[in-house]
Amino acid sequence: FFSSQETRAMSGFEGGDMGGMGGGDGFRGRGRGGFRGRGRGGRGGRSGGAPEGPIDELKLYVGGLSWNVDDAGLQEAFQSYGTCEAKVMVDKYTGRSRGFGFVTFEEAAAATTAIEAMNGQEIDGRAIACNNARQMVERPEGEVFGGDEAPRKAPGVCFAWQKGECQRGDTCRFSHSE
């Protein structure tokens, strides 16, 4: 039932567009994703920009949500436009809202009406962005998101060493052997 956009969001791929720079979470230099490999020089995460894929006429992306809005609150805000189901995306580690969600309508006309009426409106004191969600584009197995670099050959092996660029030598915390 979930689109690929939702699946990627739930697996933690959507939050990595900070480019590895501070995210205001107290972890300087590690961005919002810590060392989970998101948003760092084309390895892991998304490359940024708008999602790819065809528009889903029945599913809406709702962004700018307050952390206090849950599935029921989001559905309540949109149910006056037609029968719908709502899902707020949460961080898989903390369980806290990620500030966006998806609303799926049974009819395309209801979805269009909801977009026109709700885009820019306030929910729980925050103006929301509301537009059609996009369907997931299937990517070939093993493709690295956001770049043309190959994935590591083995876990724990220095990525820079594999490319012949590691300058740390014995001080490198990663292995220099395959």
Side-chain angles (χ1 to χ4, degrees):
F1 181 77
F2 292 114
S3 73
S4 61
Q5 199 172 18
E6 288 172 322
T7 304
R8 280 191 299 196
M10 287 187 279
S11 67
F13 279 22
E14 292 252 344
D17 55 351
M18 292 296 291
M21 302 312 286
D25 59 3
F27 296 101
R28 294 185 341 187
R30 294 194 308 187
R32 295 181 66 186
F35 287 111
R36 287 181 278 188
R38 296 184 299 166
R40 290 191 161 273
R43 294 189 310 268
R46 286 194 30 207
S47 60
E52 304 146 6
I55 291 175
D56 189 337
E57 297 293 330
L58 301 176
K59 187 169 287 189
L60 309 183
Y61 165 82
V62 182
L65 294 174
S66 164
W67 286 345
N68 299 324
V69 176
D70 59 4
D71 294 349
L74 185 59
Q75 183 167 349
E76 183 180 317
F78 281 86
Q79 69 186 2
S80 63
Y81 302 102
T83 305
C84 65
E85 192 172 303
K87 178 71 178 162
V88 173
M89 298 295 105
V90 295
D91 184 273
K92 67 180 178 178
Y93 297 104
T94 65
R96 187 174 66 179
S97 169
R98 297 188 61 208
F100 69 95
F102 297 91
V103 179
T104 305
F105 284 90
E106 290 184 356
E107 299 176 11
T112 303
T113 304
I115 289 171
E116 293 169 358
M118 293 297 289
N119 191 30
Q121 297 299 312
E122 283 192 10
I123 295 179
D124 197 26
R126 290 184 54 111
I128 62 167
C130 182
N131 50 42
N132 285 104
R134 293 188 174 267
Q135 298 172 0
M136 183 173 149
V137 174
E138 294 299 322
R139 292 186 169 91
E141 185 69 26
E143 179 178 330
V144 177
F145 298 104
D148 57 354
E149 298 176 14
R152 287 195 175 139
K153 295 175 185 169
V157 176
C158 178
F159 190 75
W161 176 79
Q162 289 177 346
K163 297 187 320 183
E165 300 173 0
C166 185
Q167 303 291 320
R168 297 186 178 176
D170 293 337
T171 62
C172 184
R173 66 187 184 122
F174 295 106
S175 170
H176 284 187
S177 63
E178 295 186 49

